[in-house]
Amino acid sequence: MEQKQKSEFTKQLILNESFKLFYSNGFKSTSIDKVMLATKLTKGAFYHHYKNKKELGIAVISSKVKQRVYDGMIAPLYQPGNAIKILKNTFIERLKSFSILEKQHGCPMNNLINEIGDNETVYQIALKKIIEEWQAALIFLIDRGKSENSIKKNIESKAVAVYLISAFEGIRGIRKLYTDDAIIDEYISGLSIYLQNLEA
């Protein structure tokens, strides 16, 4: 393996294992030593790629967390088709598709917002970029729905976008308190009614 490829492999290994540890154990309780133990790498390998844990945290947010949100919640909003159906598929079907582990641990992005979102400006900026990209995609879809007469024209696109994101992230957090999906089922019922009320 060439040095450049080996270096990139090492970097990705650190990112992948760090994301898993942050998700399962929390950011604050995950030390560099724990990351090294999970990756079976030396501290020298870590410091070759990252100056400190803060830099690693930003890298995990900007790559692993951002990609996860993009793939699951942003990219689908740019697909062709009926806007209401796309909203239902993105928010409702995505929620139904989560594994038991994902339901128990909640949303990785939301967990980080709650744990470190008020600590450092750099974390806030990295997390806000994801939220704002998600919001922009929703506004685009809602505006398209309005122009295609599938969504009521008097709807405030930004308000709907903020509400949908906030409600979705909220139920991901609340579900962590329960051992079954009853609370998710209630949320889906409420969201279905809300989306129905958006239809033109």
Side-chain angles (χ1 to χ4, degrees), residues 84-100:
I84 293 293
K85 285 183 181 177
I86 290 171
L87 288 173
K88 285 178 180 176
N89 285 337
T90 304
F91 284 86
I92 295 175
E93 298 309 316
R94 173 74 171 157
L95 195 55
K96 289 178 180 178
S97 75
F98 287 126
S99 67
I100 295 296

Side-chain angles (χ1 to χ4, degrees), residues 64-76 94 107 109 130-131 134 169:
K64 304 302 293 182
V65 176
K66 181 179 179 179
Q67 193 63 52
R68 181 186 167 93
V69 176
Y70 181 83
D71 291 343
M73 303 304 298
I74 297 174
R94 173 74 171 157
C107 171
M109 178 180 66
I130 303 171
I131 294 290
W134 189 3
E169 291 302 315

Side-chain angles (χ1 to χ4, degrees), residues 14 32 36 42-53:
I14 294 169
I32 292 172
M36 294 304 90
T42 64
K43 278 196 176 180
F46 175 87
Y47 288 112
H48 175 73
H49 294 284
Y50 303 102
K51 292 178 188 175
N52 48 42
K53 185 180 167 184

